[in-house]
Amino acid sequence: MKIYHLSAECYPIAKVGGLADVVGALPKYQNRLGCEAYVVMPWYDRPFIKDHKFENVFDGTVVLKNLQFKFKVLKEKKNSLGFALYLIKIDGLTDRPNVYGYEDAALQYIGFQTIALYWIRESKELPDLVHCHDHHTGLVPFLMNYSSEFEKLRGIPTVTTIHNGQYQGQMGWEMVNYLPNFNLTDGGLLDWDDCINPMAAAVKCANAFTTVSEGYLKELMDDKGAGLEDLYRQESQKAHGIVNGIDTEVWNPETDKYLIENYTSANFVTKKRANKKELCERYKLNEGLPLISFIGRFAAEKGADLLPGIIERAIMERSGDVNFLVLGSGDPAVEQKLWDIHHRFIGNFGLETGYNEPLSHIIYAGSDYLLMPSRVEPCGLNQMYSMRYGTVPIVRKTGGLNDTVPDIDEKDGRGIQFNDADENGAVWAIHKALDFENDTKNSRKLRRSIMKIDFSWEKSAQKYLALYENLKQQR
Ligand code: ADP
Ligand code: GLC
């Protein structure tokens, strides 16, 4: 089965968060199941692209309303990622270093989606299915079914995966003339609250939509849909919750090239500590104390604004007998508050702002606990990486965190859960974790068991495949 994944991010080419990890892994696992899975994404001015060879497979000029852009579709020559990778380079729209944050983002995505479909339309063998990820590719199911320019693609099934429903890519209706032609009587399919809403359009027009955990699907219909709750409920007959896996080849403590020492569930006690030692030396922390870390975007969804208060209270309430380490970037106000706390608690709190892939691996390996005080977490990959590295997650009971980290007081517990997305909830859980840490026998036993859990993509890749087959048969 020939599947095209369309996405704004893909690891290791361009990663901002978990979307990249998923799109960089799922197609590889699908190919192993006998599919032909491709990734199509925008070209960015990124090191991976400079370091790899590409060939031009398609080019031309696209006209978006009164603007003209030259474009190329480039294929990575060696398929070095385990799938064929295609980049869409639009002069003046994608030849930039960052993935997000440009004022003309709406135009970037319209251009990307339109050109992707021009190119797919011309392929010798059309795909069996197009799989779109998040709002950046949300117009595709509509365009394939309703634009007169893509009649050739009518009826090819489409799946949309919602990785993050908070971002919907809304744009004013004045943007409509930048879209490929369609009959205006179909325009309602693009609309939500008097805007063009690509996420809503995707949910309305795709043959199926999926969320990255079952728990998040319920939450989207309930109160976490950022205004689309009614729509998710209306379309629920085509909804599927499929939890993410992780790339166990990239995230493997036995082989991870970024680690100071590699280890397995059989020898983690001493070797995991070598990674902790490195972190403690770098951030002037006491290696003898439990280390609780946070990795992620400083965004409200992640509860990052709660971190300064949580860290301060936990250090004070434990009389300095706990250390924290934070790696992240985002909201400047949160960064500033964290630096203030850092200056007050030197020796107990290390802080690294910015994006640092190698360091993140050492933190997953070298920490004792990983804190995730998320308000919303569609799936969350950090907790799975941390478990694979023998680091116990402390998570707020929400979305994918609730699905993947049962509390240690439950059957087959894996970590520590707390209910309330506030300082009290998280500090309560930290106390529970630190008390548990004193029980060396059981905390080691837990670490050994969470390292052995199978989080690989195989099971979920099978579920996607079953869904694709089903849609293909309904065609
Ligand atoms: P989200 O996609 O919402 O940010 P996920 O838990 O799905 O959350 O994935 C986050 C991914 O981004 C993980 O691979 C995590 O290690 C990585 N990450 C987040 N922030 C940073 C950072 N500052 N440096 C390195 N990696 C980071
Ligand atoms: C989003 C979500 C995150 C999820 C990731 C990959 O960025 O915020 O929870 O793990 O996508 O699906």
Side-chain angles (χ1 to χ4, degrees):
M1 182 180 301
K2 188 171 169 180
I3 304 138
Y4 283 53
H5 287 275
L6 267 53
S7 170
E9 293 182 41
C10 177
Y11 178 83
I13 305 108
K15 167 168 167 180
V16 177
L19 170 63
D21 288 355
V22 170
V23 177
L26 173 61
K28 185 167 85 178
Y29 285 82
Q30 290 180 326
N31 284 340
R32 288 181 193 161
L33 294 174
C35 299
E36 230 184 289
Y38 301 166
V39 170
V40 187
M41 68 184 290
W43 187 97
Y44 302 101
D45 192 3
R46 289 274 170 148
F48 178 95
I49 295 172
K50 293 197 183 98
D51 299 345
H52 289 75
K53 292 213 164 78
F54 288 84
E55 62 185 309
N56 189 357
V57 292
F58 189 66
D59 54 27
T61 302
V62 65
V63 180
L64 305 176
K65 196 182 165 189
N66 52 346
L67 304 174
Q68 275 197 27
F69 299 96
K70 283 200 173 132
F71 70 82
K72 278 188 186 141
V73 180
L74 300 161
K75 177 179 187 300
E76 199 246 326
K77 275 190 170 169
K78 286 193 178 157
N79 287 356
S80 62
L81 301 175
F83 50 80
L85 169 71
Y86 294 89
L87 306 179
I88 297 193
K89 183 168 194 272
I90 316 173
D91 292 352
L93 277 184
T94 68
D95 37 5
R96 306 164 177 181
N98 294 336
V99 177
Y100 304 121
Y102 297 104
E103 279 186 1
D104 56 1
L107 199 60
Q108 274 185 308
Y109 297 128
I110 291 174
F112 165 58
Q113 294 172 90
T114 306
I115 295 165
L117 294 180
Y118 281 167
W119 168 63
I120 294 175
R121 184 182 67 183
E122 300 312 319
S123 37
K124 272 190 224 115
E125 195 194 328
L126 291 175
D128 293 296
L129 186 134
V130 176
H131 190 149
C132 305
H133 296 268
D134 269 350
H135 75 82
H136 325 102
T137 59
L139 299 172
V140 163
F142 173 83
L143 295 174
M144 284 172 63
N145 286 299
Y146 297 95
S147 167
S148 50
E149 301 194 36
F150 303 114
E151 266 161 21
K152 223 177 139 188
L153 305 179
R154 291 268 193 287
I156 295 177
T158 52
V159 171
T160 281
T161 294
I162 303 175
H163 296 263
N164 194 335
Q166 303 294 301
Y167 304 97
Q168 299 169 2
Q170 292 97 329
M171 59 186 102
W173 269 101
E174 69 280 0
M175 293 301 289
V176 72
N177 294 328
Y178 290 94
L179 295 179
N181 290 330
F182 63 90
N183 191 336
L184 275 180
T185 53
D186 294 321
L189 290 165
L190 294 173
D191 187 84
W192 196 263
D193 279 346
D194 298 329
C195 286
I196 297 179
N197 182 320
M199 185 65 100
V203 172
K204 292 182 200 179
C205 300
N207 298 77
F209 76 93
T210 69
T211 57
V212 287
S213 69
E214 288 185 23
Y216 185 54
L217 177 56
K218 289 192 202 94
E219 292 179 352
L220 280 180
M221 296 184 194
D222 192 4
D223 61 350
K224 299 270 171 55
L228 300 186
E229 290 82 359
D230 288 345
L231 177 66
Y232 294 127
R233 281 195 295 270
Q234 278 158 26
E235 301 285 353
S236 61
Q237 77 290 348
K238 58 181 193 190
H240 304 262
I242 302 180
V243 73
N244 287 332
I246 65 173
D247 189 331
T248 47
E249 286 160 8
V250 175
W251 297 95
N252 182 355
E254 207 176 340
T255 53
D256 188 329
K257 61 179 189 291
Y258 294 128
L259 299 197
I260 304 304
E261 278 209 42
N262 291 106
Y263 57 95
T264 65
S265 59
N267 65 10
F268 75 95
V269 177
T270 49
K271 308 224 169 190
K272 185 167 160 50
R273 197 173 297 143
N275 295 284
K276 179 170 180 181
K277 186 162 184 273
E278 169 71 19
L279 295 173
C280 291
E281 279 170 12
R282 275 197 212 175
Y283 296 98
K284 301 193 171 40
L285 304 172
N286 176 349
E287 204 193 320
L289 297 177
L291 178 60
I292 302 179
S293 300
F294 171 96
I295 299 173
R297 297 181 286 116
F298 295 157
E301 300 146 62
K302 301 282 173 196
D305 52 305
L306 302 171
L307 288 172
I310 295 171
I311 292 169
E312 177 175 8
R313 268 186 55 189
I315 294 175
M316 304 287 275
E317 289 177 21
R318 299 303 286 202
S319 313
D321 280 348
V322 57
N323 283 340
F324 287 90
L325 179 57
V326 169
L327 164 64
S329 60
D331 184 345
V334 171
E335 270 188 37
Q336 189 51 53
K337 279 200 188 135
L338 285 168
W339 281 118
D340 293 346
I341 295 285
H342 168 74
H343 296 315
R344 281 185 50 206
F345 293 103
I346 290 179
N348 277 112
F349 174 36
L351 175 61
E352 188 73 51
T353 50
Y355 187 86
N356 191 329
E357 186 77 27
L359 177 61
S360 72
H361 290 238
I362 305 175
I363 297 178
Y364 288 118
S367 305
D368 299 301
Y369 293 87
L370 189 89
L371 176 65
M372 299 183 74
S374 306
R375 291 192 175 86
V376 188
E377 195 62 81
C379 178
L381 300 173
N382 299 19
Q383 77 280 13
M384 294 193 263
Y385 298 149
S386 93
M387 287 189 268
R388 181 139 167 88
Y389 284 65
T391 297
V392 179
I394 304 174
V395 302
R396 163 133 197 278
K397 191 175 165 65
T398 186
L401 297 179
N402 187 33
D403 289 6
T404 56
V405 189
D407 187 83
I408 49 171
D409 291 339
E410 292 167 29
K411 190 174 167 284
D412 299 327
R414 297 174 173 179
I416 290 161
Q417 284 198 348
F418 59 98
N419 279 314
D420 299 325
D422 57 23
E423 247 174 70
N424 285 340
V427 172
W428 174 87
I430 289 170
H431 281 300
K432 179 167 168 176
L434 295 175
D435 294 343
F436 178 68
E437 189 62 14
N438 290 330
D439 179 354
T440 312
K441 186 168 159 251
N442 278 318
S443 58
R444 279 193 187 157
K445 193 171 154 212
L446 177 69
R447 293 204 160 90
R448 197 169 299 116
S449 77
I450 56 181
M451 285 186 77
K452 292 183 190 160
I453 301 170
D454 178 9
F455 287 114
S456 86
W457 263 108
E458 267 133 48
K459 260 185 267 157
S460 296
Q462 299 266 17
K463 287 191 184 162
Y464 278 114
L465 202 55
L467 171 66
Y468 299 164
E469 292 288 358
N470 206 344
L471 297 176
K472 215 177 131 186
Q473 273 160 24
Q474 284 171 24
R475 213 183 144 177

